[in-house]
Amino acid sequence: MTRMRREATVRRMLEQSPPRVPPELHAEAARRGARLLRRRTLARRVMWLLLLAGAVAFVVWALTARPWVEPPSGTTPPLTGW
């Protein structure tokens, strides 16, 4: 299809009146949009809750395990110079 034919086809399409939209389409789209918004909100809240629970679990583990402290040695150092 050449450029001239494409332009003519597009102009013809733009000059036509837009197709009729069913009247119940708006209500259905609004209902689906509201449901999608509720799902996204719920998913966002669940993700924040999981993030908070993970942070709390990490803090509790870090305070009980104290991974930054060097573990005690299993043997005593040699006593020299007595």
Side-chain angles (χ1 to χ4, degrees):
M1 192 180 251
T2 65
R3 183 177 177 183
M4 298 288 279
R5 287 185 66 190
R6 281 187 295 197
E7 286 181 5
T9 305
V10 169
R11 287 180 197 276
R12 207 171 32 250
M13 288 173 62
L14 290 175
E15 289 173 355
Q16 295 174 353
S17 63
R20 301 278 300 155
V21 177
E24 68 274 357
L25 185 65
H26 177 266
E28 181 70 19
R31 186 180 63 79
R32 286 185 181 182
R35 183 176 57 189
L36 182 65
L37 189 61
R38 281 193 310 270
R39 284 183 181 176
R40 282 184 182 172
T41 303
L42 179 64
R44 192 177 304 122
R45 286 181 182 169
V46 167
M47 291 301 290
W48 277 112
L49 183 65
L50 288 174
L51 181 67
L52 179 67
V56 168
F58 175 76
V59 167
V60 168
W61 170 80
L63 290 176
T64 56
R66 300 178 60 167
W68 56 86
V69 176
E70 186 177 331
S73 64
T75 60
T76 57
L79 295 174
T80 57
W82 271 73

